[in-house]
Amino acid sequence: MIKHKKSIFLLGGIILLFVVFVGGKEKRDSPKEINTAPQAIETRNASTLRDLGVKKGKKMGAAMNDFMISGDPMYAQTAAREYSSITVENHMKWEYIHPSLDSYDYTHPDRVAGFAKTHGMVMRGHPLVHTGQLPAWLTTGVYTGEQLDAIMKDHIVNVMGHFKTNYPGIVTSWDVVNEAVDEAGLIKQDVIWGNIGTSKDAYVAKAFQYAREAYPEAKLFYNDNGIETLGPKSDAVYNLIKNWKAEGVSIDGIGFQSHILKVENDSLAPDFTRDLSTLEANMKRYIDLGLEVHITEFDVLIKTKDGIGETELSEQAAIYKKFMSACMKFAKCTSFTTWGITDKYNWLSHLDGNVGAPLPFDLNFAKKPAYHALSEALLGR
Ligand code: XIL
């Protein structure tokens, strides 16, 4: 347990480092214009993930970044051909979209939304109220609970209002609250939002209320990691949502992030042997609560240091298939998003150069066994 806690702490540290270095870099790069006119997209056919998904009622999505959409034609082509849903990987987080108390910056998300509109895709709004990647004006400022409440409300109203007005029908689902619960299943205590209201989780109900008022037709999600199978954290989140709902919180869905990895000897490592036998039972209990399920950030880490072998690729594919097949069992599992498109750009190899390759397309945009596993599952095989 102690080791586990240490590992989580280390992962947090690694992520923080990454946020500091890579996040900072992203901010400095000057964005290029994106041509959102329909491009010479490789002909779609009935076997793309996007089209197989349409037939089965599943949005197939990926986290994307407008720098790659504009700068890498293969990326843009693959994005439009294979996916029907986009999550902006970073630029809708407070650090970017709300750079000072009185300003919002929609430059990057607008470009992605323009691309989504051109190509008939929807977006998942990610995330409205989160705990990392917050701007310094917010984390180092001194605010009363009432002021924080007003700041949070203004953010939700402004961000949702922007997309509701400018891109009607595009950002259909929102991660209203992201990662509010710690590994032990407790509401995180050291989160700035915990200062709102009389309990550490009072902000959650308020965030959902403001989001519902700001964009009534949107589907509102709670999104978290490590809750994909039965277990202490998933039990805790399940009970919290059950209580929030009983108290009248209007919540439509649960986002299972589904980053499949573990921390071993103080570094990131594959988790091919994770017990996934309770995946469906876990999904079912959330659905029975009246929720829709989205797989929101799926990826499966491989150790790349010694080269990637067939065995790793097929073990990775098997996990892809298990998750997609579980989603296929339930009409209420309506969206499956991977945290990126191609191994060429992935957050895991940025965190740790010895690992990565978590996505369905390889460095050259060739389809990996993981891609075929998604297709097979979508075909019910
Ligand atoms: C990650 C991004 O992929 C990185 O580029 C960034 O530096 C850190 O955040 N859970 C989430 C996502 O909800 O927003 C995170 O995205 C990955 C973990």
Side-chain angles (χ1 to χ4, degrees):
M1 190 61 200
I2 289 170
K3 188 167 185 313
H4 181 61
K5 269 195 179 151
K6 188 178 156 209
S7 302
I8 294 297
F9 182 70
L10 182 90
L11 180 60
I14 297 173
I15 290 174
L16 190 70
L17 275 179
F18 181 73
V19 168
V20 169
F21 288 111
V22 178
K25 180 177 174 297
E26 249 169 323
K27 223 175 183 175
R28 285 192 301 273
D29 288 344
S30 60
K32 292 182 198 156
E33 279 302 313
I34 288 189
N35 174 14
T36 52
Q39 305 164 16
I41 300 296
E42 183 185 316
T43 318
R44 292 224 323 262
N45 59 55
S47 67
T48 61
L49 296 181
R50 128 172 226 168
D51 291 277
L52 290 175
V54 167
K55 287 192 200 114
K56 305 290 180 177
K58 318 284 177 199
K59 295 281 182 209
M60 297 302 289
M64 298 185 200
N65 186 313
D66 65 309
F67 292 122
M68 279 87 92
I69 292 178
S70 62
D72 187 335
M74 281 294 282
Y75 184 96
Q77 277 186 22
T78 311
R81 188 186 73 227
E82 298 287 345
Y83 299 98
S84 51
S85 174
I86 307 182
T87 305
V88 173
E89 185 178 5
N90 283 306
H91 291 120
M92 285 173 76
K93 296 172 185 170
W94 282 62
E95 187 185 11
Y96 298 103
I97 209 167
H98 200 161
S100 69
L101 176 62
D102 297 322
S103 70
Y104 290 86
D105 181 356
Y106 292 105
T107 317
H108 301 287
D110 274 352
R111 289 173 182 176
V112 177
F115 183 83
K117 193 174 162 193
T118 301
H119 297 291
M121 303 154 105
V122 296
M123 285 169 67
R124 299 195 76 263
H126 170 84
L128 284 171
V129 181
H130 54 103
T131 55
Q133 295 179 279
L134 298 174
W137 66 263
L138 179 64
T139 52
T140 60
V142 181
Y143 303 102
T144 63
E146 288 74 35
Q147 286 170 327
L148 280 170
D149 190 357
I151 290 169
M152 183 178 82
K153 182 174 183 181
D154 185 71
H155 181 92
I156 292 172
V157 168
N158 204 305
V159 174
M160 288 184 114
H162 176 86
F163 291 97
K164 181 175 153 63
T165 307
N166 297 300
Y167 302 95
I170 299 285
V171 192
T172 48
S173 305
W174 293 80
D175 292 333
V176 177
V177 176
N178 196 48
E179 299 178 353
V181 175
D182 68 18
E183 295 316 302
L186 300 170
I187 283 284
K188 289 179 185 167
Q189 299 292 301
D190 55 353
V191 166
I192 189 163
W193 310 119
N195 300 325
I196 294 175
T198 49
S199 64
K200 287 285 179 190
D201 71 341
Y203 78 91
V204 175
K206 284 174 177 278
F208 276 95
Q209 181 200 327
Y210 300 149
R212 181 63 77 210
E213 287 163 7
Y215 201 159
E217 329 67 290
K219 289 195 174 156
L220 309 181
F221 283 72
Y222 175 78
N223 190 47
D224 213 331
N225 58 42
I227 56 167
E228 300 80 24
T229 50
L230 297 177
K233 183 167 177 184
S234 177
D235 293 351
V237 169
Y238 172 85
N239 287 320
L240 279 165
I241 295 183
K242 198 173 173 181
N243 293 340
W244 291 330
K245 280 180 78 80
E247 287 161 13
V249 177
S250 180
I251 164 168
D252 300 306
I254 179 77
F256 296 134
Q257 289 188 6
S258 317
H259 293 289
I260 309 303
L261 56 84
K262 65 182 172 191
V263 181
E264 206 174 60
N265 302 326
D266 290 348
S267 37
L268 297 176
D271 195 8
F272 295 144
T273 54
R274 185 181 292 194
D275 178 9
L276 297 174
S277 59
T278 59
L279 208 51
E280 285 172 27
N282 188 53
M283 221 177 251
K284 182 173 185 309
R285 68 171 169 169
Y286 280 94
I287 290 169
D288 290 345
L289 264 189
L291 300 174
E292 211 167 289
V293 169
H294 285 183
I295 306 294
T296 53
E297 306 185 15
F298 190 78
D299 54 14
V300 181
L301 174 145
I302 288 185
K303 193 172 161 205
T304 53
K305 188 168 161 260
D306 313 316
I308 305 172
E310 303 257 315
T311 318
E312 288 84 10
L313 288 173
S314 66
E315 278 175 308
Q316 177 181 56
I319 298 176
Y320 266 78
K321 189 148 184 204
K322 270 202 183 113
F323 270 80
M324 190 71 233
S325 300
C327 183
M328 292 293 288
K329 289 260 163 70
F330 303 98
K332 286 276 181 190
C333 178
T334 52
S335 178
F336 192 106
T337 291
T338 50
W339 204 240
I341 298 175
T342 158
D343 292 342
K344 188 173 174 184
Y345 314 110
N346 76 87
W347 74 302
L348 296 173
S349 56
H350 285 293
L351 291 178
D352 174 346
N354 297 318
V355 299
L359 294 164
F361 290 89
D362 75 8
L363 298 170
N364 302 311
F365 293 90
K367 295 168 182 168
K368 290 166 64 183
Y371 174 95
H372 298 296
L374 289 176
S375 309
E376 291 282 299
L378 278 163
L379 289 163
R381 291 178 191 148

